[in-house]
């Protein structure tokens, strides 16, 4: 369990931070960029939750996602190692499976798409589109990191599936797709 007694440590004043294994790296390190972007996505989901009051099932779903995103951040901040002194927290396939089950359940009620969707509709849906794009950026940073360092394959899968989940949830919160804002190709020519 994490226990924070002091918020500032001054440890990063010279542009470095500690990874989960204690190693110091520059704050612009690819690993830090990846888990920092996951943190950014989590903050956007916090904004979405401001618009899901009165929808306890949706809010609970997003609360699980936020907790998973902290797990994902912990996974990414702890480099893979043989025989670590403490078992690191890793994203599991079961977390990906849960997202897939939720996507399938939500998608069952939605009309098929007839065009690409523009971010908008309800405030919750608009924020979900923002969260989705931040998750996609995190995924790109994770796959870039994976070219030079080992990372948990389930972590990349989770990010990939989460962006799909947030997209489908945005449609659900847009009156099951009825309030989606559709792209009209060439509409303003």
């Amino acid at each position: 369990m994490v226990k924070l007694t002091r918020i500032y440590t001054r440890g990063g004043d010279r542009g470095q931070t500690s990874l989960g294994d204690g190693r110091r790296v520059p704050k612009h390190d690819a690993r830090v960029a990846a888990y920092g972007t996951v943190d950014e996505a989590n903050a956007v989901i916090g904004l979405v939750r401001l618009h899901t009051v009165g929808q306890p099932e949706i809010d609970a779903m997003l609360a699980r996602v936020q907790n998973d995103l902290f797990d994902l951040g912990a996974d990414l901040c702890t480099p893979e190692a043989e025989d670590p002194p403490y078992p690191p927290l890793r994203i599991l396939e079961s977390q990906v499976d849960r997202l897939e089950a939720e996507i399938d359940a939500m998608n069952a009620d939605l009309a098929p798409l007839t065009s690409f969707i523009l971010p908008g509709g309800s405030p919750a849906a608009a924020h979900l589109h923002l969260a989705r794009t931040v998750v996609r950026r995190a995924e790109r940073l994770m796959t870039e990191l994976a070219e030079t360092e080992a990372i948990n394959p389930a972590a990349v899968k989770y990010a990939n599936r989460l962006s799909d989940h947030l997209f489908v949830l945005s449609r659900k919160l847009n009156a099951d797709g009825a309030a989606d804002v559709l792209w009209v190709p060439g509409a303003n020519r």
Side-chain angles (χ1 to χ4, degrees):
M1 182 56 76
V2 175
K3 182 178 179 182
L4 300 174
T5 56
R6 233 176 47 181
I7 299 304
Y8 66 90
T9 63
R10 297 187 176 108
D13 290 353
R14 292 193 177 126
Q16 292 198 328
T17 191
S18 294
L19 296 178
D21 63 0
R23 188 175 52 167
R24 302 286 291 171
V25 297
K27 288 188 175 190
H28 60 272
D29 183 85
R31 185 172 292 278
V32 177
Y35 70 73
T37 306
V38 168
D39 187 38
E40 183 182 345
N42 204 340
V44 178
I45 291 172
L47 291 173
V48 174
R49 292 184 68 196
L50 294 174
H51 301 285
T52 60
V53 175
Q55 299 176 71
E57 289 181 21
I58 300 296
D59 192 61
M61 188 184 304
L62 291 170
R64 286 190 301 272
V65 166
Q66 283 192 297
N67 200 80
D68 283 355
L69 286 174
F70 258 81
D71 290 354
L72 179 56
D75 186 328
L76 291 169
C77 93
T78 307
E80 300 274 336
E82 287 186 35
D83 301 319
Y86 303 102
L89 182 62
R90 299 287 182 217
I91 289 290
L92 303 174
E93 289 290 335
S94 60
Q95 289 167 290
V96 176
D97 294 342
R98 189 196 76 241
L99 288 177
E100 289 178 355
E102 290 175 355
I103 290 167
D104 292 342
M106 290 185 293
N107 206 40
D109 297 331
L110 302 177
L113 285 172
T114 58
S115 181
F116 287 105
I117 294 176
L118 301 177
S122 70
H127 282 94
L128 281 164
H129 281 287
L130 178 58
R132 174 186 59 77
T133 63
V134 175
V135 170
R136 283 287 190 212
R137 181 163 31 98
E139 182 185 10
R140 289 190 303 272
L141 292 168
M142 291 165 63
T143 59
E144 182 179 17
L145 174 64
E147 288 184 2
T148 59
E149 295 185 48
I151 67 169
N152 176 9
V156 176
K157 276 187 188 178
Y158 185 89
N160 188 11
R161 216 64 85 249
L162 178 58
S163 61
D164 296 334
H165 185 284
L166 298 174
F167 175 78
V168 172
L169 181 56
S170 75
R171 295 197 67 217
K172 180 170 184 56
L173 293 179
N174 268 345
D176 287 333
D180 283 339
V181 180
L182 299 180
W183 173 49
V184 180
N188 301 309
R189 288 182 174 181

